[in-house]
Amino acid sequence: MTSLERASWLREEIARHNEAYFVDDAPLIPDGDYDALVRELRELELNHRELRSDDSVTGRVGARASLFAEVRHREPMLSLDNVFDGEELTQWLHRVARALGRESNELVYAVEPKIDGLALSITYRDGELVSGVTRGDGRVGEDVSANVRTIANIPARLESGAGLVEVRGEVFLAREDFEELNRRQRREGAKEFANPRNAAAGSLRQKNPAVSAARPLSFLAYQLIDGSGTYTSHLETLDQLGRWGFLTARETTREVGAPNVVARSSWFEERRHDFAYDIDGVVIKLDDLADRVRLGTTSRAPRWAIARKFPPEERMTRLVAIEVSIGRTGRATPFAVLEPVVVAGSTVSMATLHNQDQVAAKDVRVGDFVVVRKAGDVIPEVVRAVVEPGKRRGAVWRFPADCPQCHQPLERRVGESDTYCVNPACPAQLRQQIVHFASRSALDIEGLGEARVAQLLDVGLVQDVADLFTLRAEEIAALEGFGDLSASSLVDAINAAKSSPLRRVLIGLGVRHVGPVAARALAQHFLTYSAMAAAPLEELEAIDGVGSVIAQSVYEYCRDRDNVARLDRLRELGVALREPEASVAVEQTLAGRAVVVTGSIEGYTREGVDAAIAQRGGTSPGSVSKKTYCLVIGEAPGASKVARALELGVPRVGADQFSTLLVTGEWRAVLA
Ligand code: IVH
């Protein structure tokens, strides 16, 4: 693979994972692996000038805010800085004491569980709930008020809550409720959620509040923001929240002095799995609200609080077998079959081994004891084998020569770490292709998960994605596990998917290299599939966000005989294959304007900043000149850019105003 191809592949991978994480709330890989992809792309762009001008996708999560109205937080919703053990925590406690000019053994702290859900801000005016907003990028969140009103343990009214009161806390699913939800998803043939956090996020960000209402969401309050100056201590505000009827963490304690704080945080770590909900750490907060003001915040996090994060839990179990699964592109992924073991609160009986090289590097063999953990607390993986010296072991594992599903030879291309089944008729690939076609980032056909697709394939009702649109409720109702009602709602969902915008269909078809970004660019450029299929290669290549590798792949896809036949059928069966024009325009608020950015902006990667500006018609040159429209000053800005802007009289804007600048396109509006 050339660097150009690699960069293009990385961009699509990153975009795909952004979509999975932000839109589907279902990450496909651990955070660490995602970071590695971003790092690799950044390095490539750094070393190869020619790759830089390309439309880079890192950090661009455009679809994130589109479902809900954006709301600016009155006070930013910050994150927390982390420490990872008692020693680092002690150092932090001493730093706080020093900054306040006090002894560390006289300071009072609240030690609270860190709930692994998603942050929510709820506003009450004169005691009435008026809005619920997600954290978003910390400055601007999504208005999910309608869904928040359906959460049973959030009071709709506050007794004696005069004026403006803001309550912040965490939306989560209790472990039991999560298990029950997944049982229900399974029964209905819908996709199961990876963990309670993703399930909670997916449930809160539902377009339809009735769906949210059917999900057993809970809210735990951990912060009261009240401008009246009534309170002097954080623990006092927690008491008030409790009196209003909010759930607060029962285990929160008041601790004085560093040793007690550390001891209590270790107490939480030992009992982390005994809670009714997932916790991923402890939050330690200075109790005195006046001291908090004295310490202040950075642009990222308060100086008066810290999170002690727990290390990922590791467990030992026996490796029963190594098998290979075939994905929609034919990729053959080895995975470990394990003796079931409870890791981080759920039972694990399978874990990924990634690829051939990983199995070799870890040298895991059937019969070994292996260490298992959940990478990013989501996807189980085998860390290493625990080998007793002198003990006989099984044979070194060899990658199978043939596909376990269709028995055709597997292929590993030179220079790649992945192995593929290249038989286009492989039933395993077909199943995954259909599952992907129906998935949330593609046609979003509710109720068509893996189990149901397998069922439809088994009985021969479906042999290709196009066959989905020929299904009749009577034939589905006759299948095991279906009734008249579930059959007709599946057919309704399939019919509704016919009018999906072209970009989703393009994602669903699984054209090689075409992820969400390229799909959107193509759909917006051509508006119909026919126009795209008729386009010469040069036109495809010239589209922003496409590039030569993707262009070639699309060009070939549209000319493949099977694909031509498939698309003809989809069209005949009433699939729209067009992009609604309304979706095309992102308001070109910065058309023709050069916005220079220095330093980092919270919630954005460097590439994300450039992409956000470019999407609105602006440019983001690397230096300030007379033509610069304004300079956005982020965290750790470059002194020379700021000096140059001062010298030339170029307007300067704070990073916290970046979103407003994007929306209004005016620095005047921003400064006002
Ligand atoms: S305090 C400025 N308390 O952790 C103070 N946060 O990693 C910020 N979280 O965004 C929040 N439990 O979503 C606080 N007891 C707790 C928490 C908690 C969970 C989440 C919250 C925050 C994230 C930061």
Side-chain angles (χ1 to χ4, degrees):
M1 221 189 271
T2 64
S3 309
L4 182 68
E5 284 168 342
R6 183 71 187 165
S8 151
W9 181 85
L10 283 166
R11 286 195 189 101
E12 282 307 333
E13 267 308 275
I14 291 165
R16 188 163 75 87
H17 292 304
N18 281 348
E19 179 109 354
Y21 187 92
F22 288 105
V23 182
D24 296 345
D25 294 309
L28 305 166
I29 53 171
D31 292 354
D33 292 3
Y34 173 86
D35 293 344
L37 293 176
V38 176
R39 252 193 324 272
E40 187 186 342
L41 177 58
R42 217 172 266 149
E43 252 160 48
L44 271 178
E45 288 179 342
L46 218 67
N47 296 331
H48 299 267
R49 284 206 136 267
E50 70 279 11
L51 298 179
R52 243 174 279 175
S53 58
D54 269 353
D55 185 17
S56 208
V57 297
T58 33
R60 202 208 269 185
V61 285
R64 184 168 45 150
S66 61
L67 288 180
F68 300 94
E70 294 192 338
V71 179
R72 173 162 292 273
H73 296 296
R74 269 180 300 277
E75 217 176 272
M77 288 183 86
L78 301 176
S79 28
L80 291 167
D81 285 332
N82 295 322
V83 292
F84 294 93
D85 55 35
E87 204 170 303
E88 287 179 12
L89 176 57
T90 306
Q91 285 167 7
W92 180 82
L93 292 163
H94 288 311
R95 269 207 306 282
V96 169
R98 230 182 356 261
L100 288 169
R102 304 268 289 281
E103 288 299 319
S104 87
N105 60 11
E106 65 182 33
L107 290 176
V108 178
Y109 288 91
V111 182
E112 308 178 355
K114 184 170 188 298
I115 299 101
D116 193 13
L118 62 151
L120 178 72
S121 150
I122 312 173
T123 299
Y124 292 84
R125 184 167 291 121
D126 294 327
E128 297 290 329
L129 190 160
V130 289
S131 71
V133 182
T134 63
R135 177 172 185 275
D137 67 4
R139 316 275 153 176
V140 177
E142 294 170 325
D143 182 350
V144 289
S145 305
N147 296 341
V148 166
R149 287 176 206 281
T150 69
I151 300 178
N153 79 340
I154 295 181
R157 193 163 290 116
L158 305 185
E159 216 49 64
S160 77
L164 209 56
V165 169
E166 184 179 345
V167 178
R168 290 182 179 179
E170 204 79 353
V171 173
F172 66 96
L173 274 169
R175 288 208 182 114
E176 255 178 42
D177 294 333
F178 166 72
E179 301 287 337
E180 173 56 34
L181 174 61
N182 262 356
R183 272 198 293 277
R184 196 164 82 201
Q185 295 285 105
R186 228 174 2 249
R187 264 202 311 277
E188 292 170 3
K191 200 154 101 197
E192 288 179 51
F193 294 98
N195 59 26
R197 205 205 82 85
N198 293 327
S203 303
L204 185 65
R205 297 176 62 257
Q206 282 291 331
K207 292 162 260 187
N208 179 358
V211 178
S212 269
R215 304 275 173 85
L217 290 170
S218 307
F219 176 76
L220 184 142
Y222 54 64
Q223 198 179 8
L224 169 62
I225 304 182
D226 154 300
S228 72
T230 316
Y231 309 96
T232 58
S233 125
H234 170 66
L235 287 157
E236 214 177 281
T237 64
L238 291 182
D239 286 342
Q240 176 62 67
L241 288 168
R243 283 196 296 277
W244 274 331
F246 287 98
L247 170 71
T248 54
R250 258 186 304 127
E251 299 79 6
T252 296
T253 53
R254 175 181 191 273
E255 303 293 342
V256 187
N260 290 325
V261 171
V262 174
R264 183 65 182 176
S265 68
S266 302
W267 179 93
F268 274 103
E269 181 163 349
E270 279 154 28
R271 286 167 188 73
R272 61 185 293 194
H273 299 302
D274 301 344
F275 285 76
Y277 40 77
D278 278 359
I279 67 175
D280 59 348
V282 194
V283 187
I284 295 105
K285 301 174 180 172
L286 196 61
D287 185 53
D288 188 295
L289 300 183
D291 279 348
R292 287 189 180 184
V293 176
R294 255 165 244 140
L295 286 175
T297 71
T298 68
S299 72
R300 211 193 87 81
R303 292 200 179 85
W304 43 260
I306 196 92
R308 174 174 172 184
K309 295 271 272 201
F310 300 147
E313 194 191 21
E314 298 191 337
R315 280 274 176 276
M316 267 229 288
T317 188
R318 193 181 290 280
L319 177 62
V320 177
I322 300 178
E323 292 179 6
V324 167
S325 73
I326 304 295
R328 106 184 124 84
T329 60
R331 179 153 70 196
T333 307
F335 65 95
V337 180
L338 305 165
E339 255 169 36
V341 59
V342 176
V343 188
S346 69
T347 305
V348 170
S349 52
M350 282 188 291
T352 180
L353 285 161
H354 303 290
N355 57 43
Q356 183 170 14
D357 296 345
Q358 287 277 323
V359 186
K362 289 175 181 161
D363 185 24
V364 286
R365 306 186 196 179
V366 173
D368 283 350
F369 270 104
V370 292
V371 174
V372 181
R373 72 162 174 232
K374 285 198 193 149
D377 266 340
V378 183
I379 298 134
E381 66 173 5
V382 173
V383 186
R384 62 175 177 278
V386 183
V387 184
E388 273 179 57
K391 194 146 181 243
R392 276 187 62 125
R393 302 175 68 198
V396 172
W397 184 73
R398 303 241 169 266
F399 212 93
D402 298 334
C403 170
Q405 300 277 331
C406 70
H407 311 292
Q408 299 294 307
L410 294 173
E411 267 181 27
R412 179 167 173 178
R413 284 168 219 145
V414 188
E416 281 190 36
S417 49
D418 290 323
T419 305
Y420 288 89
C421 167
V422 292
N423 169 18
C426 173
Q429 287 182 49
L430 188 56
R431 184 169 76 231
Q432 295 307 328
Q433 282 161 10
I434 298 175
V435 169
H436 172 74
F437 188 73
S439 71
R440 247 181 278 179
S441 55
L443 270 74
D444 197 9
I445 303 175
E446 182 106 12
L448 198 56
E450 184 147 1
R452 286 198 165 165
V453 170
Q455 207 180 359
L456 293 170
L457 279 165
D458 281 351
V459 296
L461 278 177
V462 171
Q463 272 149 346
D464 182 271
V465 290
D467 294 332
L468 292 174
F469 300 99
T470 66
L471 290 170
R472 285 173 303 117
E474 306 88 78
E475 39 187 24
I476 301 177
L479 299 177
E480 202 186 312
F482 276 96
D484 286 344
L485 196 65
S486 55
S488 72
S489 37
L490 181 56
V491 170
D492 288 348
I494 292 172
N495 281 333
K498 287 181 182 169
S499 48
S500 298
L502 178 61
R503 62 173 185 279
R504 284 176 168 273
V505 180
L506 291 179
I507 293 171
L509 291 172
V511 186
R512 203 156 176 235
H513 300 301
V514 175
V517 175
R520 185 179 290 260
L522 289 162
Q524 295 186 343
H525 182 88
F526 291 110
L527 299 178
T528 65
Y529 184 89
S530 328
M532 184 181 87
L537 188 58
E538 300 72 50
E539 184 175 357
L540 290 163
E541 280 175 340
I543 299 169
D544 231 14
V546 175
S548 57
V549 180
I550 300 173
Q552 186 68 40
S553 165
V554 171
Y555 188 79
E556 283 168 17
Y557 181 94
C558 297
R559 277 155 192 78
D560 175 276
R561 272 204 7 234
D562 290 341
N563 294 333
V564 171
R566 174 176 301 123
L567 266 298
D568 282 346
R569 269 195 82 209
L570 285 171
R571 198 175 292 112
E572 272 162 30
L573 290 166
V575 179
L577 301 177
R578 66 175 58 245
E579 188 70 5
E581 294 202 35
S583 81
V584 174
V586 170
E587 230 191 302
Q588 297 295 292
T589 47
L590 293 171
R593 291 182 168 163
V595 176
V596 179
V597 179
T598 177
S600 57
I601 298 184
E602 210 209 315
Y604 288 90
T605 59
R606 181 66 234 185
E607 293 83 344
V609 167
D610 293 346
I613 294 170
Q615 217 179 18
R616 288 158 183 85
T619 57
S620 45
S623 58
V624 176
S625 74
K626 272 191 299 208
K627 294 201 195 96
T628 305
Y629 178 64
C630 67
L631 173 69
V632 181
I633 303 177
E635 178 84 327
S640 63
K641 282 188 196 150
V642 179
R644 185 92 179 119
L646 275 167
E647 190 187 323
L648 296 172
V650 168
R652 293 159 313 277
V653 173
D656 55 343
Q657 303 297 326
F658 183 61
S659 322
T660 314
L661 175 69
L662 292 178
V663 175
T664 63
E666 296 285 331
W667 60 257
R668 285 172 201 82
V670 167
L671 292 178

